[in-house]
Amino acid sequence: MDRNTITGFILIGLLLIGFTWWNRPSKEEIETKRLQDSIAAVQQQIQSQETLAPKEEATLSPDSVGMLSDSLKQLQLTNSFGAFAAAAVGTEELVTLENEKIEVKVNTKGGYVNFARIKDYVTYEKEPLVLFEGEDSKFDLIFVTANNRVINTSDLYFTKMADGAPNSVTMRLNVGDGGIIDFVYTLKPDDYMLNFDIKTSGLNGILAPSTNSLDIRWTQNMRTLERGRKLENQYTGLYYKFLADDVEHFGETKDDERQESSRIKWIGFKNKFFASVLIADDSFSGTMLTSRQNPNSEEYLKDFAAVTAVPFSLTANTTVGFQYYFGPTKYQLLRAYDKGLEAGQELNLDELVPMGYSWLRPINKYFILPIFDFLGKFITSYGLIIFLLTLIVKTVLFPFTYKSYMSQAKMRVLKPQVDELKKKFPKKEQAMELQQATMSLYNQAGASPMSGCLPMLLPLPILIALYWLFPTSIELRQQSFLWAKDLSTYDAVISWNQDIPLITNFLGNHISLFCLLMTIVNVVYTKINMSMTNTGQQQIPGMNMMMYLMPVMFFFFFNQSSSGLSWYFLISTLITIGQTMIFRFTVNEEKLLAKLEENKKKPKKKSGFMQRLEEAQRAQQEQLRKRQQGQGRR
């Protein structure tokens, strides 16, 4: 073999190695393929069980099963479960762990938490607040054995081990050939966190040699816990946090599923005010998340499921750590779990509290909630706290409100002069000249139509922020005020059972009294405001009707929402009416007009904006004149 041939073989070998390296799958593709294989294996097992079940029922009755010999039973269990056969039979028992905050029960069948109750709270019907019980929730480890059997730990029986640690229990799954899987639960005192460790040993040779992760399936049916199914369903969703990154959520309004290849720190199944969260000490990977609506059930809202995995080694004794959070979605409480953590390692569980869009969250986090927390130390009535909050907001906005009123007052006292300009330019084709003359008048007098608009818009971000916060603020939950029994939901004064087309979808089957009063007061305020702000300028057609339509639209928006929100809006509007009336009687409009007349005598320097506006008006007027001349020649 000559040198050229050897060189050729070497080059071909390098090309093959380079091609293999270039086309190797990424980590994300490997995780996705592993997840798909695991899901396929689980689905194949389910299909096999569904296919075999009718045959077993047809050939073996319960009596005939009881007559089978022990050796035949053991043979059947070994064929189905392999090394896990000894754990396929046992006795189901519930082991209770509880502290001052929560009570949880661990089932020896499956070894998982199948009951969680939050002690400090009750449901709307005053029943104990149970997040889930029995088949409502399930936690599985999914194993593929060395001989390709798919095993679910939820089908197996664990043994409760004697544990000297206080408020702790170890559930042990004994596997043939010396293998052990321990589920260790430890409940901290006076906390909503439950530590959960999975400890394994001796599984090498029992599980498939390719096993490098523990595949997990966690599900929960979300119970109805509050009054107002539509509002509760709107804020019930599946949340998850990427490792050292943002929190995402979905599933509030429709069936959905997501497959995430990036690593995830925690997965949360959240009701309106409460959540079950599974937090990994390391991270989850290759995660499939599913949300399904449950519209035909009165007891349940949605069904959530997560199929995911955590790193695992067969060759050594391994401990995989988790934490469960079973508790309320209270901002300050959830925020406290990040204390002492390094930057980038925060859990950000406070993101479970909906506060609106990113630009709205600071209003709630740094303004509304601190006021709530401060006033809550001294006042027990949250209806009164909302009233004081409204006063604080209106006080902060008072300078802008006054500026807005003064802008309207300036234009109102100039109305007779605007009317004179209308007489000077009465023709329709003179509209441009009229507009220029009016703007010139305002500029000379020191009045600006735009200066009153911004102050009127400032309260809107606060109202929108409260629209998100109040329905999910656990501080308002089951807090009564006047006739409202729960400020976090609607206060029905009239209710009916039959659905009315269109009306029921938007309004619900009730009328909320606070919302009705808010709407009436807003209609009155609209009328007062329109009569007081008539500046003589030409109105856009239909604008008056639009102004009256807005309060009616708010009625449909707020009728199924928080009565505390309607109470805030009602008080805010009443205070605004009071301020407007005080301004009207304290501001001397004759002196104001005299001041504006003095302003006319002073030299005015036009702003760049006004200059550009006048230039644009002149250009438009010139084009209109040329067009009219062209039409005259024809």
Side-chain angles (χ1 to χ4, degrees):
M1 183 178 294
D2 58 16
R3 186 171 59 183
N4 292 335
T5 304
I6 294 174
T7 303
F9 277 119
I10 292 174
L11 291 174
I12 292 172
L14 291 175
L15 285 172
L16 289 173
I17 293 172
F19 181 78
T20 303
W21 179 85
W22 181 264
N23 289 277
R24 76 191 192 282
S26 64
K27 291 183 179 180
E28 289 79 6
E29 291 173 335
I30 294 173
E31 288 296 337
T32 301
K33 181 64 167 60
R34 181 203 57 73
L35 174 63
Q36 292 173 344
D37 291 343
S38 299
I39 294 173
V42 174
Q43 292 175 339
Q44 183 179 1
Q45 183 202 30
I46 294 172
Q47 292 173 354
S48 300
Q49 291 174 349
E50 291 175 348
T51 304
L52 293 174
K55 295 181 179 179
E56 294 173 358
E57 292 173 0
T59 56
L60 295 174
S61 66
D63 293 336
S64 62
V65 171
M67 293 188 297
L68 290 176
S69 64
D70 291 340
S71 59
L72 184 55
K73 290 180 182 178
Q74 188 60 42
L75 179 61
Q76 287 184 333
L77 291 175
T78 302
N79 288 336
S80 299
F81 296 96
F84 293 85
V89 293
T91 303
E92 189 171 352
E93 179 186 354
L94 296 178
V95 179
T96 301
L97 301 174
E98 60 181 318
N99 60 14
E100 296 83 354
K101 301 294 186 183
I102 61 173
E103 175 190 4
V104 298
K105 295 181 181 180
V106 183
N107 197 336
T108 54
K109 184 178 181 181
Y112 63 89
V113 178
N114 77 337
F115 175 91
R117 177 173 71 91
I118 303 177
K119 291 186 173 182
D120 299 340
Y121 300 90
V122 294
T123 66
Y124 184 77
E125 291 79 13
K126 307 304 179 183
E127 298 290 333
L129 200 146
V130 177
L131 291 180
F132 56 84
E133 183 176 11
E135 296 298 317
D136 290 353
S137 181
K138 185 170 288 188
F139 179 93
D140 270 340
L141 289 187
I142 305 167
F143 296 119
V144 178
T145 65
N147 53 2
N148 290 324
R149 290 186 176 90
V150 178
I151 303 297
N152 294 333
T153 56
S154 62
D155 297 328
L156 305 176
Y157 290 87
F158 288 65
T159 301
K160 176 188 173 184
M161 305 300 294
D163 198 331
N167 227 2
S168 178
V169 64
T170 297
M171 293 291 184
R172 173 161 295 179
L173 185 65
N174 291 303
V175 185
D177 301 324
I180 291 176
I181 302 173
D182 285 343
F183 287 0
V184 183
Y185 297 95
T186 304
L187 185 58
K188 302 176 183 180
D190 197 30
D191 199 352
Y192 295 99
M193 285 287 189
L194 172 68
N195 285 344
F196 171 39
D197 293 328
I198 299 176
K199 299 181 178 181
T200 65
S201 62
L203 298 183
N204 194 12
I206 297 175
L207 301 184
S210 61
T211 302
N212 59 6
S213 62
L214 289 180
D215 293 330
I216 297 171
R217 179 174 59 191
W218 181 39
T219 64
Q220 184 176 330
N221 301 331
M222 309 305 291
R223 290 189 167 193
T224 302
L225 303 173
E226 313 298 332
R227 183 187 188 186
R229 180 186 178 92
K230 181 177 180 180
L231 188 62
E232 183 179 12
N233 195 60
Q234 179 181 340
Y235 292 102
T236 299
L238 197 159
Y239 285 64
Y240 58 99
K241 182 188 183 298
F242 292 110
L243 187 65
D245 209 336
D246 296 332
V247 175
E248 297 284 345
H249 65 95
F250 70 103
E252 287 89 344
T253 59
K254 61 181 180 179
D255 292 349
D256 200 356
E257 66 179 22
R258 296 183 183 179
Q259 185 168 322
E260 298 288 356
S261 57
S262 300
R263 292 193 295 170
I264 290 175
K265 181 62 178 178
W266 55 257
I267 301 169
F269 300 154
K270 175 189 169 297
N271 283 91
K272 185 180 176 184
F273 294 111
F274 305 95
S276 305
V277 186
L278 181 60
I279 308 166
D281 286 355
D282 187 358
S283 64
F284 301 106
S285 59
T287 304
M288 176 69 77
L289 302 168
T290 307
S291 171
R292 296 285 181 265
Q293 303 287 321
N294 209 335
N296 299 321
S297 172
E298 294 184 0
E299 186 178 359
Y300 299 101
L301 297 166
K302 295 183 176 76
D303 302 330
F304 292 148
V307 178
T308 186
V310 290
F312 175 74
S313 174
L314 271 178
T315 58
N317 296 346
T318 304
T319 298
V320 182
F322 305 90
Q323 285 182 299
Y324 277 114
Y325 175 82
F326 300 123
T329 53
K330 188 174 184 178
Y331 176 79
Q332 296 296 348
L333 169 67
L334 297 174
R335 190 66 179 168
Y337 286 108
D338 285 338
K339 289 183 178 178
L341 298 180
E342 296 180 2
Q345 302 299 316
E346 297 92 347
L347 295 176
N348 297 130
L349 291 173
D350 57 285
E351 295 284 342
L352 290 167
V353 183
M355 295 188 188
Y357 306 107
S358 57
W359 60 276
L360 289 173
R361 287 187 69 87
I363 297 176
N364 284 320
K365 288 173 63 174
Y366 304 116
F367 182 63
I368 303 299
L369 287 177
I371 292 175
F372 259 40
D373 292 337
F374 176 76
L375 294 178
K377 297 176 182 178
F378 310 101
I379 303 172
T380 58
S381 170
Y382 272 87
L384 182 56
I385 289 175
I386 292 173
F387 176 79
L388 294 177
L389 170 67
T390 313
L391 288 179
I392 293 172
V393 171
K394 299 301 289 186
T395 302
V396 171
L397 296 178
F398 177 82
F400 305 100
T401 305
Y402 181 75
K403 183 177 180 180
S404 176
Y405 177 85
M406 290 303 296
S407 175
Q408 295 172 359
K410 290 177 182 179
M411 297 175 67
R412 186 167 56 250
V413 297
L414 292 173
K415 182 179 180 300
Q417 299 180 40
V418 174
D419 292 338
E420 291 297 324
L421 291 175
K422 289 181 180 180
K423 296 177 181 178
K424 186 177 181 181
F425 302 102
K427 298 179 181 180
K428 186 175 182 181
E429 56 270 19
Q430 293 178 314
M432 188 61 63
E433 289 93 332
L434 174 62
Q435 185 176 6
Q436 286 180 336
T438 304
M439 294 302 298
S440 177
L441 171 65
Y442 288 154
N443 184 54
Q444 291 176 0
S448 173
M450 298 300 296
S451 64
C453 295
L454 181 60
M456 293 177 64
L457 295 176
L458 286 176
L460 283 180
I462 297 177
L463 180 62
I464 298 172
L466 294 178
Y467 179 82
W468 282 94
L469 179 65
F470 274 16
T472 58
S473 174
I474 199 167
E475 289 83 359
L476 298 183
R477 183 179 185 267
Q478 297 182 0
Q479 292 291 326
S480 61
F481 179 68
L482 299 178
W483 56 82
K485 297 180 180 180
D486 188 341
L487 288 172
S488 70
T489 187
Y490 58 82
D491 55 312
V493 64
I494 300 175
S495 301
W496 58 90
N497 295 324
Q498 294 181 345
D499 289 348
I500 303 174
L502 295 180
I503 296 296
T504 297
N505 290 336
F506 293 99
L507 196 64
N509 289 352
H510 64 273
I511 299 294
S512 298
L513 185 53
F514 270 132
C515 187
L516 181 61
L517 294 175
M518 174 204 74
T519 303
I520 295 172
V521 170
N522 269 277
V523 170
V524 172
Y525 171 67
T526 299
K527 182 174 180 59
I528 293 174
N529 195 47
M530 289 176 63
S531 64
M532 294 180 64
T533 57
N534 183 7
T535 61
Q537 296 190 72
Q538 186 175 0
Q539 295 284 337
I540 299 175
M543 179 58 70
N544 289 348
M545 182 60 66
M546 281 295 298
M547 295 297 293
Y548 284 110
L549 186 61
M550 286 300 295
V552 178
M553 292 175 62
F554 279 133
F555 176 71
F556 282 89
F557 290 154
F558 288 10
N559 191 61
Q560 297 187 76
S561 190
S562 162
S563 56
L565 181 64
S566 298
W567 167 238
Y568 169 87
F569 202 0
L570 170 63
I571 295 300
S572 179
T573 308
L574 287 173
I575 293 175
T576 301
I577 293 175
Q579 288 177 332
T580 303
M581 301 305 294
I582 292 173
F583 293 154
R584 186 64 186 269
F585 288 107
T586 56
V587 174
N588 190 322
E589 294 189 355
E590 292 181 357
K591 291 183 179 181
L592 179 61
L593 179 58
K595 183 178 180 181
L596 296 180
E597 293 297 335
E598 287 295 324
N599 290 340
K600 290 182 182 180
K601 301 175 183 179
K602 298 177 183 178
K604 295 292 180 180
K605 182 179 179 180
K606 295 182 180 179
S607 65
F609 172 77
M610 288 300 298
Q611 291 177 356
R612 289 191 296 270
L613 180 62
E614 290 183 1
E615 289 175 2
Q617 289 175 340
R618 282 195 293 268
Q620 186 177 0
Q621 185 177 3
E622 184 63 27
Q623 290 178 359
L624 180 61
R625 184 180 294 110
K626 290 180 179 179
R627 191 180 303 114
Q628 291 173 348
Q629 290 176 353
Q631 291 174 353
R633 292 193 188 99
R634 288 195 293 268

